[in-house]
Amino acid sequence: MTRPEIYPVGVRAPLPGVVYPPQDMLQAYAEAGVLTHETLADGLRAAFARHADRPALCLPQRVMSYRELDEATDRLAAALLELGVRPTERVLFHLGNSLEMVLGWIACLKAAIIPVCTLAAHRELELGYLGRHSAAVMHFIAGDDARFDSLGFARRLRAQVPSLRWILQARGPAGEGAEDVALLHGLIADMPLERARQVLARLEPDPWQAAVFQLSGGTSGVPKIIPRFNNEYLYNMRQVARVNGYREDDVLFMPLPMMHNLSMGCCVGPFLLSGGAYAIAPDLVPETLERLFTQYQPTWAVMGGPILERLRPAIEAGRLPLGRLRGALSPNNSAGIGRILGTEVFHIFGMTEGVIMLTQAGDPAEVRETMIGRPVSPWDRVRIVEVGGEREILTPDTAGECVFSGPYTIHGYYDAPEMNREAFTSDGYYRSGDLMSFRIIDGVKYFKFCGRSKDVVDRAGEKISSEEVERVVCRHPAVAMASVVGMPDPVYRERVCAFVKLREEAVSLSVQELGRFLETQGLAKFKWPERVEIVREFPLTGSGKLSKPLLRQSIAAILQAEEQAGGTCSTPTSPRSLR
C-alpha cells in the first residue's frame, strides 16, 4: 500500500454534480489504511497478474483466463480512448450478462471512463433520462437480440440524448449505416497489445474520482445516479470477499444482472479480486441455468426466490450437482433455501448508497435464520432512529429507520441537490428508508430487517418506485387515479399491484391492456403491474390522505381468500369498493 503522505488525499479534478466526501473524513480513512491510493482498475490488474493462468470467466462455450481477460481489456480500453472517448466521460451500459459486458466494464475502468449502470429491461423512459442526466457519450448495446432491436433503439435514443456520439455493439454485424457503430470485438482485434499498454501508460487515473455511476431504485421518479468512487468501491469489494472468504479455487454462479450493485459490489467484483471464476449465464432459461451449473459446479451461488424456482425441478430430480457448494447468498429465507441446497446460506442486505450487511459462519442460529447480520466493515456506522427524525433508538428489538455512514457510503446523489437535502441527517448519515431493529448477542450487535418506510415495491430485489409507476399508469385514458403497492408473493417477495379508479366513461382495465399501454410509454417491463384492482374509492387515513397500508392489507386479504378458495384471479371482473 502506498503511504498517504506521498500522494495527496482527495480528488484532483472534481466533476460537476458529483458530491465528494469531506476532506477530513478522507484523510482519516487514508491514514487508517482503509482507503488506499489505488483505483479499482489497479486492484483488478494486480489480481489478474497474481492469477494469470487461472480461469476468470466461464461461459457455456469457452473459458477465459485472467491473462486473456487482462490483455483483451487493455486493448479495448486503449481502443475506446483512441476512438475519442475521454476519461471521466460516461457510457450507458444496456445489455444483459455476457462476456462482452464484463470486457466493456473492465475496459472502461482501465481507461478511467465511467460506466452508467442500467438494466437490460430499461427502455426509453429510463434510458432517455439517464443518458441526458449523465451526459453519456456512448451507448453500449448487445446487437444480436432476436427479440429486441437494440441497434434501432440506440439510434432512436440519440434523438433524445444529444450528447450520445457513439454506439458500441457487443455482438453481431453493424448493418446499414454502420459509420456510427463501433464493434467491440473489432476494436480489440485492431488494437495491438503493445500499443494499447503505451496508450494506457499515459493516463493518470485518480483513485479518489468516480469509477462507476450506479443506480438506486428510490421512491420518486426514475432511478437516481449514485457515484461510486475508485478506492471506496475497491474497499467495499475487498471487505465482502474477506467476510465471505472467497478463494481463488471458487466458482461463482450469479445469474442476476451484473451491472446491479448486488452483483458488482458483492459477487463479481470481489470474485475477480480474489482470483475465483465467474460462470456467466447468458439468459435465465431454466435449461441454460441447469447446464451452466452442471458444467462448472459452482462453490458459491446467489439463490434468491426466482432463480431457485427456475432450478427447483432439477434440484428435486437430483440433476443439479450441489456437492461443491460451500456457500450461497440470499436476501431472505436462509434456513429454507439451505435445506433445499444442503449448504450454508448467508443473508445479505445492502444498498447501492452504502452499507452492506451479512450473516457469517459462526453466527448464532437465531441470527443466521432470522436476521441480516452485521456490517462488513468495522468502519461502518449504523444507527436506528425514529422514522423521519434523528433521535436514536437505544432499546433492542425496537424498530426504527436505519441510517448509516462509512467509507463506502455516499454523501450525495449525482446532480440532485434537492433530493440530497432530504436524504441525509443533519450529521451526514444516509437515510435508508428501511425499518430495522437491533439485538446484542454475546457482545455483538446484529440487525434485523423489519420493512420499509419508503414507498417502493421490492420485486426480487429490484426496488420499484411506486410513484414512478403511478405517474405512467395515470396517463392511460381510462384511469382517473392510481395507487401502486407491493402484494406478497412467495417467489418474488412482492409483485406490483395497481389499485385503479376508472374515469366515468371507462368500463374496465385488464392487466394485459395496461401492459400494452405501458410498453408504448417506454416503461421497463419488470415495473408493470401484475395485478389490477378496480376500486370506486380509495381508503383514507384519519387526516384524509390515501392510506397505502390499508391497500396493502386489502390485497393481502384478497390473495389469502383466493388461496383458501383454491384459485386466483389476476384481474378482477367487477369493481370493488374499499371504503
Side-chain angles (χ1 to χ4, degrees), residues 347-417:
H347 280 158
I348 183 168
F349 169 87
M351 302 188 73
T352 313
E353 287 86 350
V355 74
I356 304 293
M357 298 191 200
L358 286 162
T359 56
Q360 303 177 28
D363 284 341
E366 172 192 5
V367 173
R368 288 185 282 110
E369 294 179 6
T370 67
M371 306 181 80
I372 57 173
R374 49 192 153 139
V376 299
S377 169
W379 291 83
D380 283 321
R381 300 290 180 260
V382 181
R383 298 201 308 244
I384 308 298
V385 302
E386 293 179 341
V387 176
E390 297 193 13
R391 190 176 74 84
E392 187 170 5
I393 296 174
L394 301 175
T395 309
D397 300 317
T398 303
E401 183 182 9
C402 175
V403 301
F404 50 83
S405 69
Y408 59 98
T409 292
I410 67 165
H411 292 263
Y413 294 106
Y414 173 73
D415 195 21

Side-chain angles (χ1 to χ4, degrees), residues 43-356:
L44 290 170
R45 276 198 184 94
F48 295 174
R50 284 195 304 271
H51 306 286
D53 297 319
R54 296 195 62 83
L57 306 177
C58 301
L59 296 101
Q61 303 83 13
R62 64 169 297 192
V63 173
M64 175 177 274
S65 71
Y66 275 99
R67 187 188 314 279
E68 293 173 305
L69 178 59
D70 195 25
E71 292 177 356
T73 51
D74 274 355
R75 294 164 73 180
L76 180 57
L80 291 175
L81 292 170
E82 290 205 342
L83 188 66
V85 186
R86 297 188 297 273
T88 71
E89 288 191 318
R90 272 72 86 178
V91 174
L92 280 176
F93 273 61
H94 187 218
L95 68 167
N97 288 2
S98 57
L99 167 66
E100 292 80 9
M101 172 182 274
V102 180
L103 296 179
W105 175 63
I106 295 173
C108 282
L109 297 178
K110 286 184 171 183
I113 296 165
I114 300 176
V116 180
C117 301
T118 77
L119 299 177
H122 282 158
R123 290 297 181 261
E124 291 94 339
L125 189 68
E126 298 91 358
L127 268 292
Y129 166 77
L130 292 170
R132 291 187 299 273
H133 191 51
S134 67
V137 300
M138 176 176 278
H139 188 178
F140 186 17
I141 62 171
D144 64 346
D145 189 340
R147 299 167 300 175
F148 176 61
D149 180 11
S150 56
L151 181 55
F153 174 83
R155 285 174 169 157
R156 292 193 303 273
L157 193 70
R158 292 175 68 173
Q160 299 183 38
V161 185
S163 59
L164 284 173
R165 303 198 297 274
W166 298 281
I167 298 170
L168 177 62
Q169 184 170 308
R171 300 172 298 276
E176 296 182 6
E179 63 278 356
D180 61 341
V181 180
L183 300 180
L184 180 141
H185 290 287
L187 291 178
I188 294 174
D190 292 342
M191 173 58 67
L193 181 61
E194 182 178 355
R195 187 167 100 229
R197 290 182 168 164
Q198 291 172 351
V199 170
L200 296 179
R202 294 195 290 267
L203 288 179
E204 296 183 0
D206 187 345
W208 309 93
Q209 185 57 276
V212 177
F213 276 3
Q214 268 287 0
L215 301 186
S216 170
T219 58
S220 62
V222 293
K224 301 181 287 291
I225 290 177
I226 299 170
R228 296 300 302 261
F229 302 100
N230 274 282
N231 51 10
E232 61 87 359
Y233 218 5
L234 179 60
Y235 174 74
N236 174 165
M237 294 176 184
R238 284 173 171 168
Q239 285 300 110
V240 172
R242 180 191 64 79
V243 170
N244 283 339
Y246 296 154
R247 306 187 311 228
E248 65 174 21
D249 59 342
D250 276 326
V251 178
L252 171 68
F253 177 80
M254 169 59 175
L256 299 178
M258 184 204 138
M259 298 308 283
H260 195 288
N261 185 65
L262 169 63
S263 180
M264 185 180 293
C266 300
C267 299
V268 179
F271 250 75
L272 295 179
L273 290 168
S274 305
Y278 168 36
I280 303 176
D283 57 57
L284 297 180
V285 175
E287 292 76 14
T288 303
L289 298 179
E290 182 181 343
R291 282 197 303 270
L292 189 73
F293 201 104
T294 301
Q295 184 175 358
Y296 293 110
Q297 300 187 25
T299 58
W300 277 88
V302 176
M303 279 291 184
I307 300 300
L308 183 63
E309 288 304 306
R310 282 171 168 82
L311 289 172
R312 187 186 286 270
I315 295 172
E316 293 176 346
R319 297 195 306 269
L320 214 63
L322 301 173
R324 293 190 68 225
L325 271 183
R326 66 186 193 88
L329 298 176
S330 178
N332 55 18
N333 191 24
S334 67
I337 296 173
R339 285 191 293 271
I340 295 171
L341 298 178
T343 191
E344 184 84 30
V345 178
F346 302 98
H347 280 158
I348 183 168
F349 169 87
M351 302 188 73
T352 313
E353 287 86 350
V355 74
I356 304 293

Side-chain angles (χ1 to χ4, degrees), residues 492-562:
Y492 288 82
R493 182 187 290 181
E494 290 184 327
R495 291 179 187 259
V496 180
C497 176
F499 285 86
V500 171
K501 182 178 180 180
L502 298 176
R503 297 185 182 277
E504 289 186 5
E505 64 275 14
V507 177
S508 66
L509 179 65
S510 69
V511 169
Q512 294 76 17
E513 181 185 350
L514 181 58
R516 289 191 292 269
F517 173 78
L518 295 178
E519 185 173 18
T520 69
Q521 301 300 299
L523 185 69
K525 189 172 183 179
F526 73 89
K527 301 177 184 179
W528 297 0
E530 295 170 84
R531 180 166 182 135
V532 174
E533 285 287 327
I534 307 298
V535 297
R536 293 191 180 94
E537 300 294 341
F538 286 95
L540 304 178
T541 65
S543 61
K545 296 180 180 179
L546 186 149
S547 175
K548 288 207 169 182
L550 288 177
L551 289 179
R552 294 188 188 98
Q553 292 174 22
S554 172
I555 189 59
I558 291 169
L559 294 174
Q560 184 178 16
E562 290 175 349

